[in-house]
Amino acid sequence: QVQLVESGGGLAQAGGSLRLSCAASGRTFDTMAWFRQAPGKEREFVAARSLSGGKIYYADSAKGRFTIFRDRAKNTLYLQMNSLKPEDTAVYFCAADAKSFPYSGYAYWGQGTQVTVSS
């Protein structure tokens, strides 16, 4: 059974850092990504990474502050978030197995982890 389990969310101050983890089980995915959804807004793409080809994509809002990386041995995806801003407050979701990499068509989703950034 395929499962994605996120962890690492919480409360941070503006300018601080958090690292999100997404542990995958059941299979290894070539394409994985992070999305987020703020209250009252649609879910939006944050970052994505592929194993084959090593392609990495970031949303403009994440460039220079966030880093997506994978630990292949642990079958885990990470999102290192630095220089956090209050507008980064959202539920962050891990996604895997994209039909339209990197932005859409992901077959599997985690349950989400809350990130709250205070000013």
Side-chain angles (χ1 to χ4, degrees), residues 29-77:
F29 300 100
D30 180 47
T31 55
M32 297 187 74
W34 289 98
F35 288 76
R36 69 186 183 186
Q37 187 168 19
K41 295 187 177 181
E42 293 188 353
R43 187 168 57 193
E44 64 176 7
F45 170 82
V46 176
R49 185 179 184 118
S50 68
L51 282 178
S52 61
K55 294 183 178 180
I56 300 174
Y57 297 85
Y58 292 101
D60 288 343
S61 60
K63 288 178 182 176
R65 300 189 300 125
F66 295 0
T67 303
I68 185 172
F69 59 101
R70 297 175 69 166
D71 185 326
R72 204 164 186 169
K74 295 182 178 179
N75 203 13
T76 298
L77 179 73

Side-chain angles (χ1 to χ4, degrees), residues 4 9 14 19-20 22 24-26 45 53 66-67 74 78 83 106 110 115:
L4 302 176
R19 178 178 292 184
L20 306 183
C22 172
S25 59
F45 170 82
F66 295 0
T67 303
K74 295 182 178 179
Y78 299 93
S83 302
Y106 287 84
V115 170

Side-chain angles (χ1 to χ4, degrees), residues 3 15 33 36 51 59 77 94 110 112 114 118:
Q3 200 171 15
R36 69 186 183 186
L51 282 178
L77 179 73
C94 174
Q114 176 71 47
S118 62

Side-chain angles (χ1 to χ4, degrees), residues 4-6 9-12 14 33 38 50 63 85-87 101 103 106 117:
L4 302 176
V5 179
E6 301 101 333
L11 178 65
S50 68
K63 288 178 182 176
K85 303 175 181 180
E87 50 263 45
F101 182 76
Y103 302 117
Y106 287 84
V117 183

